Amino acid sequence: MIAMSSEAGASPGLSRTEAQPSSVRRSAGRKKRILWAAAFLLVVAAGGIWLGIGYYRTGRISPYRPGESDAEITSALAQPYERRGARTPAEMQPADIPRDADDGLRMIQQSLPAGAPSPRFVDISARAGLSSFRTFAGERTSQLPEDMGSGAAWGDFDNDGFEDLFLVSAGGPMDAPVAALAPSMLFRNMGDGTFRRVEDFPELRIHGMAAAWGDYNNDGWLDLIVTGYNTLILFRNDHGRFVRESRFPELKGFWAGASWGDYDRDGNLDLYVCGYVKYSAGPRAAENLTRQFGMEVPYTLNPSSFPPERNLLFHNNGDGTFSEVASKLGVADPEGRSLSALWHDFDNDDWLDLYVANDVSENKLYLNRKGKFVDSGNQAWVAEYRGSMGLATGDWDGDGDDDLFISHWIAQQYALYNSLLSEQERSNAQPTKKVLSGLHFMDVAELSGIGQVSLQYIGWGAEFADFDNDGWPDLAVANGSTFQMSDNPRRLTPMDSFLFWNSGGKSFFNLAPWNRSLSEPHVSRGLAVADYDNDGAIDLLILDRDAGVRLLHNQMAAGNWMELRLRSRLGKEKVAWGAGDGANVVAYVGGRQLRRCVSSASYLSQSSRRIHFGLGKSARVDRLEVHWPSGEIQTYTSLEANGLFELVQGDPLAHRMESKPPGGLKSSASGVAGRQPSREQTMEFWAKQREAMDAMKRQGDLPRAIPLFRRALELNPEHEDSRYYLANCLAAQGDDKGALEQLDRLVQINPHTHRGYQRRGLLLAAAASSKADLAAAEQSLEQARSINPEETGTMLILGELALALGNAPSAEQRLRWVCTTNSRAVGAWYLRGYLAWKRGDSLQARQMLEKARAARGKEWKPGGSVMEGDVHRRMHAEAAFLSAYWERWDGTPEPAKAFKSLSAFLVFR
């Protein structure tokens, strides 16, 4: 929302542009638009990026200035909504709407654009159990916090595989008692297409704005931040139950958008909170009026009437507490009236950047330079000065970089900033055509089909999503006016929303007029998307300031699809509990490159963290790359379409999951087998699993962890992590038989578990009493190697086994491969030295020991001598069969001394 402030020399209550003669303003506006169009024609005609760069360097011209009194816009605002142009539901009559239809379509005279799908979205809010939620209770009193609206956040808070939903209420009038405010609500997704309010969530009656899920304490359970006017509350998720985090500073202020992101890559989610204005509530609506497009607007609805509020950046200290560091790091933006912020790696350097959308002030782009920020909006050409509300990012044109969408106030048209990163890289690869370095964008809203159509609208929540699964991200925008209705000042003027269909990365077409719900005018604000029923089609949720919530079930998706749930490794223990926040995923499908990211910050809202790809007619993803926030890149090949996969950082396998409502998701990595457990059983399973992991990893209390893992497996017998870590605990306690029983069951559950076969082979080798036992261990390890032939750890153990079996040539071949692949493989160098010594080549044995010593590094200190009595115990804990020997080698270069204990052990075996 944007309102105009008075300036020196202008009449009181008039905006800067309205103080000028109307003929001058119209002439200037026409000249600007002519220059804008001419410049773009030159860019297109030249066919090169350097013309676009030259245009932007000479001056970026917006088609409309805030408040510019254009005849078309002003006359449109003066008309009743029902009499506006053809791109609104002007022609809608009750007889035109097939009320008994179940596909959500609306019959109008116009034909759909060529190739466009029918926008089949059906409003199922009542059927889904969401009709009890209201965004506002009572009558507005024309004060700013009442009209900004509120948002929604999708997130699986109970870990059952279905996206749950938190809805923020704007509450009610500023003078209403707390008990009279409409409450914010948490709804549990029941997995059968319905939602049920979580009754034990703490009662929250506030003048609310935003919500965002994020696991700030790395316990595997999504926590929740909620903002609003004088509201900033962090709820900690204790295994499905929520309590207010008393250590989080609940600061007073007008807090808007909230976004989680690990900006310093320490494995702990940090939090950015937008401050809007320093609003002072009071009955001053009629004391002073400003004018916007010929309409009188109360002083208390003009954001320029109030000083801007600073923004907050809470650095996660990793111990459950936060430190506010926005000013210290230069991202407080004290002059901006901020509404939304988006964490995203725009320049592809694996560090999350920050874009901030401001109202009546300049937008900010802060590029992240290894945990420090550089204000780069002007250099990147995105420091615009318009009324900015909603943000969305995605590679809409398929050129390999992520673009930026911004929704605006009326008469300013929405912005679609194309990233020029890929074009610059291609140009700079040719020395004779080097153009520019650094990150830059170009606004192509006018050329892409979303500029002119948006001029009469005020946009809020926005999101890119491939709604028809054709492989091209579409764009949904929630619209709603901030102007009071002339015949009823207690209400705001409604607007229809946008559903921009992406026509092959070339242009967008608004399909909303053909949909019954989207074409109905509302005062919409928040918007978020998710595949709430796990059917492979992205559904759409919109919060309406004048009503409640609309959940629009997607029935238009016709193409194939794939969804991914990422599990990043967090904390010192590197447990796979993270949601992949900040990760980028690239899918190569039929010669095309599709990009998606785990980052979402619609206006006051948060979409699902799952990655969704529309695949069109393709039956599989040829290659998939996951760019983890740590900088690690993981690759998967030939994944079949029409399924949900769980990808765990460091795990080479993609675990396909099955959706079986209402019991949740089943996966070889973390699913539920056989009978589907109740929700209570699912909750108990995760409680026991987390408690067992904590006992094992953090406390080192294995006797306590073992019964907890066993109870978890009673509830979920096919959970891989529970069974794998139970085996490790049993092995460390000396129970070889029990550990092998768990690993035998693990490889039955998942025949493609690399870690299961590897650990099984290692334990078989450690417990072997004959060559037959060693051969069985070798067979298990060969199975692990066939699953992941690039993993050097498995090959190292196979080299050790060949050595123990007396097969020196095979051992040398395997160990040489390990050394070639990983020059820091201490064990491989050490064992190759042993082989050289045994064949009488003392010189080469010394050389190998020198390489092993160098691979250890300068800071290495020997762990002590190896005694026969402690070898067996260490074999259970190490990642290699004979690692105890080189771990405790004292660094002596003398082969006879270096290999004495190893030689005795192998002879004994």
Side-chain angles (χ1 to χ4, degrees):
M1 189 176 87
I2 183 169
M4 307 306 129
S5 59
S6 300
E7 293 202 350
S11 302
L14 296 181
S15 70
R16 175 171 56 235
T17 52
E18 288 175 323
Q20 300 174 354
S22 61
S23 60
V24 173
R25 293 196 306 272
R26 285 194 296 270
S27 175
R30 293 190 187 101
K31 289 180 180 178
K32 292 174 185 176
R33 289 189 288 278
I34 291 170
L35 288 172
W36 174 267
F40 264 101
L41 288 174
L42 286 172
V43 174
V44 175
I49 186 174
W50 61 273
L51 278 177
I53 293 168
Y55 164 73
Y56 260 84
R57 280 176 167 168
T58 57
R60 288 164 288 148
I61 303 173
S62 298
Y64 291 90
R65 289 287 187 187
E68 182 173 340
S69 184
D70 181 271
E72 178 184 358
I73 301 298
T74 304
S75 62
L77 285 170
Q79 299 175 16
Y81 182 85
E82 292 76 8
R83 287 164 44 203
R84 294 188 195 170
R87 288 196 179 270
T88 68
E91 72 285 359
M92 183 172 65
Q93 300 294 331
D96 295 332
I97 302 175
R99 295 295 179 184
D100 57 345
D102 61 358
D103 59 5
L105 295 181
R106 171 172 172 260
M107 307 304 294
I108 62 175
Q109 299 299 317
Q110 295 171 281
S111 298
L112 283 166
S118 297
R120 292 184 171 88
F121 280 89
V122 181
D123 187 346
I124 62 162
S125 309
R127 190 164 73 239
L130 299 176
S131 58
S132 62
F133 173 77
R134 310 303 295 171
T135 54
F136 197 87
E139 293 187 342
R140 57 188 293 275
T141 61
S142 298
Q143 298 197 62
L144 194 58
E146 298 172 352
D147 293 354
M148 300 307 295
S150 56
W154 290 101
D156 183 8
F157 80 86
D158 55 3
N159 288 321
D160 68 347
F162 288 93
E163 296 289 272
D164 307 302
L165 180 62
F166 188 81
L167 300 175
V168 185
S169 173
M174 295 298 290
D175 57 2
V178 172
L181 300 178
S184 300
M185 297 181 180
L186 175 63
F187 287 89
R188 175 179 280 118
N189 187 337
M190 303 307 294
D192 58 0
T194 66
F195 293 80
R196 183 179 299 168
R197 184 181 178 185
V198 179
E199 298 295 340
D200 63 355
F201 186 85
E203 184 173 70
L204 195 60
R205 296 178 184 270
I206 57 175
H207 298 287
M209 291 198 73
W213 297 100
D215 181 11
Y216 76 89
N217 55 359
N218 292 342
D219 66 349
W221 296 83
L222 288 176
D223 311 297
L224 182 69
I225 186 72
V226 180
T227 74
Y229 179 67
N230 284 335
T231 298
L232 187 60
I233 303 174
L234 178 61
F235 291 99
R236 185 179 70 249
N237 183 349
D238 286 345
H239 296 181
R241 295 183 179 274
F242 290 86
V243 296
R244 291 175 74 150
E245 176 53 81
S246 59
R247 294 173 294 178
F248 186 78
E250 297 184 7
L251 304 176
K252 297 295 183 181
F254 195 168
W255 309 118
S259 301
W260 295 97
D262 182 9
Y263 76 87
D264 55 356
R265 291 186 12 179
D266 65 352
N268 303 307
L269 282 180
D270 310 298
L271 176 65
Y272 192 80
V273 177
C274 294
Y276 189 33
V277 297
K278 294 180 179 179
Y279 186 79
S280 300
R284 298 180 297 171
E287 292 179 8
N288 192 8
L289 298 175
T290 58
R291 296 183 64 82
Q292 298 174 11
F293 297 101
M295 302 180 68
E296 292 185 343
V297 176
Y299 169 92
T300 49
L301 292 181
N302 188 343
S304 296
S305 302
F306 307 94
E309 180 63 86
R310 89 283 194 193
N311 297 341
L312 308 171
L313 175 56
F314 292 100
H315 174 260
N316 190 332
N317 298 322
D319 58 0
T321 66
F322 293 83
S323 300
E324 206 286 297
V325 296
S327 295
K328 176 182 177 181
L329 294 181
V331 294
D333 193 14
E335 302 302 320
R337 296 170 175 84
S338 303
L339 288 171
S340 300
L342 175 71
W343 291 106
H344 188 77
D345 181 14
F346 286 105
D347 54 1
N348 290 340
D349 66 350
D350 295 323
W351 292 84
L352 288 178
D353 308 305
L354 180 65
Y355 191 85
V356 183
N358 286 328
D359 190 7
V360 207
S361 36
E362 184 180 83
N363 289 0
K364 294 292 184 178
L365 171 63
Y366 299 106
L367 292 182
N368 189 341
R369 296 294 178 250
K370 296 184 178 181
K372 298 181 180 180
F373 294 93
V374 178
D375 188 348
S376 306
N378 284 308
Q379 291 86 345
W381 306 334
V382 287
E384 60 167 47
Y385 194 105
R386 290 187 259 184
S388 301
M389 279 81 81
L391 298 173
T393 185
D395 184 13
W396 79 274
D397 54 356
D399 65 350
D401 49 34
D402 290 329
D403 311 303
L404 176 66
F405 171 84
I406 308 175
S407 61
H408 289 135
W409 205 59
I410 201 164
Q412 297 171 32
Q413 76 177 27
Y414 303 160
L416 181 59
Y417 285 105
N418 260 20
S419 172
L420 304 180
L421 198 60
S422 59
E423 289 86 349
Q424 290 172 199
E425 289 175 351
R426 287 193 290 269
S427 297
N428 292 340
Q430 305 177 43
T432 59
K433 293 186 178 181
K434 187 169 182 178
V435 179
L436 193 66
S437 61
L439 179 68
H440 294 84
F441 294 83
M442 178 182 291
D443 189 355
V444 297
E446 191 75 28
L447 296 176
S448 65
I450 66 175
Q452 187 70 26
V453 69
S454 64
L455 280 170
Q456 296 185 31
Y457 288 82
I458 300 176
W460 305 86
E463 194 66 87
F464 283 110
D466 188 356
F467 292 112
D468 60 344
N469 285 343
D470 67 348
W472 297 95
D474 309 302
L475 177 64
V477 187
N479 297 320
S481 182
T482 57
F483 291 108
Q484 300 175 150
M485 297 182 70
S486 57
D487 58 345
N488 185 0
R490 296 291 186 181
R491 299 184 62 188
L492 298 175
T493 301
M495 292 178 169
D496 54 313
S497 290
F498 288 138
L499 178 64
F500 289 112
W501 171 68
N502 187 340
S503 178
K506 300 175 182 177
S507 58
F508 287 99
F509 295 91
N510 179 29
L511 304 185
W514 287 269
N515 181 269
R516 187 164 64 246
S517 182
L518 292 171
S519 63
E520 289 178 353
H522 285 279
V523 183
S524 300
R525 295 293 189 261
L527 179 150
V529 302
D531 179 11
Y532 79 92
D533 54 355
N534 294 339
D535 66 351
I538 295 295
D539 308 297
L540 178 61
L541 182 129
I542 300 176
L543 269 76
D544 298 319
R545 163 63 181 74
D546 56 343
V549 61
R550 280 178 288 161
L551 177 58
L552 306 183
H553 183 248
N554 183 353
Q555 299 180 2
M556 70 183 288
N560 293 322
W561 56 276
M562 176 178 292
E563 291 184 6
L564 308 173
R565 186 172 73 178
L566 303 188
R567 290 298 187 201
S568 49
R569 297 192 178 275
L570 303 174
K572 296 180 180 178
E573 297 82 10
K574 300 299 181 183
V575 181
W577 289 350
D581 297 87
N584 285 291
V585 182
V586 181
Y588 296 87
V589 183
R592 286 191 57 212
Q593 180 184 142
L594 312 181
R595 290 173 57 90
R596 301 290 186 272
C597 63
V598 185
S599 174
S600 183
S602 179
Y603 177 75
L604 307 180
S605 303
Q606 182 185 58
S607 294
S608 171
R609 275 179 166 77
R610 284 190 199 165
I611 296 288
H612 173 271
F613 287 105
L615 304 179
K617 296 180 180 179
S618 298
R620 64 179 49 82
V621 170
D622 302 317
R623 188 169 93 255
L624 188 78
E625 292 179 357
V626 181
H627 297 249
W628 297 101
S630 63
E632 177 186 351
I633 301 176
Q634 207 162 334
T635 302
Y636 306 85
T637 57
S638 192
L639 300 181
E640 293 185 0
N642 302 324
L644 171 62
F645 291 85
E646 183 175 70
L647 307 182
V648 180
Q649 186 176 2
D651 187 341
L653 295 181
H655 302 277
R656 192 180 183 98
M657 310 178 75
E658 297 178 26
S659 173
K660 292 187 176 182
L665 292 171
K666 172 185 176 182
S667 164
S668 60
S670 58
V672 180
R675 62 179 180 81
Q676 295 299 321
S678 66
R679 188 171 297 275
E680 290 73 20
Q681 289 174 318
T682 299
M683 297 288 288
E684 184 185 355
F685 163 77
W686 282 110
K688 297 300 181 186
Q689 170 70 7
R690 272 20 179 224
E691 192 176 355
M693 292 295 291
D694 184 76
M696 179 186 70
K697 291 283 189 179
R698 300 185 185 183
Q699 302 173 20
D701 190 349
L702 302 187
R704 179 170 175 265
I706 289 172
L708 290 169
F709 279 126
R710 290 193 187 280
R711 175 53 184 160
L713 286 169
E714 290 176 4
L715 296 163
N716 188 348
E718 295 193 10
H719 194 278
E720 283 194 44
D721 281 350
S722 297
R723 203 165 290 281
Y724 178 76
Y725 289 117
L726 174 58
N728 287 346
C729 290
L730 292 171
Q733 293 293 100
D735 186 358
D736 296 340
K737 181 179 178 181
L740 287 170
E741 286 177 353
Q742 297 300 325
L743 292 170
D744 287 342
R745 178 60 181 142
L746 177 58
V747 298
Q748 290 175 0
I749 293 170
N750 180 15
H752 301 287
T753 172
H754 173 270
R755 64 176 178 174
Y757 280 111
Q758 185 188 61
R759 189 64 170 157
R760 181 173 177 269
L762 182 58
L763 289 180
L764 284 170
S769 58
S770 66
K771 287 190 174 182
D773 294 337
L774 291 176
E778 187 175 40
Q779 183 180 4
S780 183
L781 289 161
E782 285 288 2
Q783 183 66 33
R785 191 182 67 83
S786 68
I787 294 171
N788 185 9
E790 304 301 321
E791 212 277 315
T792 58
T794 304
M795 186 64 83
L796 174 59
I797 306 172
L798 283 168
E800 294 174 314
L801 283 173
L803 185 62
L805 286 166
N807 189 345
S810 178
E812 176 64 30
Q813 181 183 20
R814 291 169 175 178
L815 294 171
R816 185 186 298 114
W817 182 88
V818 174
C819 291
T820 302
T821 305
N822 179 13
S823 62
R824 298 186 65 84
V826 178
W829 292 115
Y830 176 86
L831 294 176
R832 288 183 68 192
Y834 173 80
L835 286 168
W837 178 62
K838 292 299 289 184
R839 62 177 180 261
D841 192 342
S842 296
L843 178 60
Q844 188 179 33
R846 286 174 176 272
Q847 291 174 345
M848 293 296 155
L849 286 173
E850 288 177 3
K851 290 183 179 293
R853 181 65 179 83
R856 273 292 183 199
K858 296 180 180 180
E859 303 301 322
W860 170 70
K861 294 181 180 179
S865 62
V866 178
M867 302 299 293
E868 189 64 40
D870 65 6
V871 170
H872 184 74
R873 178 183 61 81
R874 286 182 58 81
M875 284 179 178
H876 290 291
E878 302 299 330
F881 175 37
L882 303 175
S883 59
Y885 292 97
W886 66 74
E887 286 285 347
R888 298 195 177 186
W889 165 51
D890 64 3
T892 178
E894 294 296 330
K897 293 182 179 180
F899 303 125
K900 180 180 178 180
S901 296
L902 175 61
S903 179
F905 175 74
L906 290 176
V907 170
F908 172 78
R909 303 294 285 184

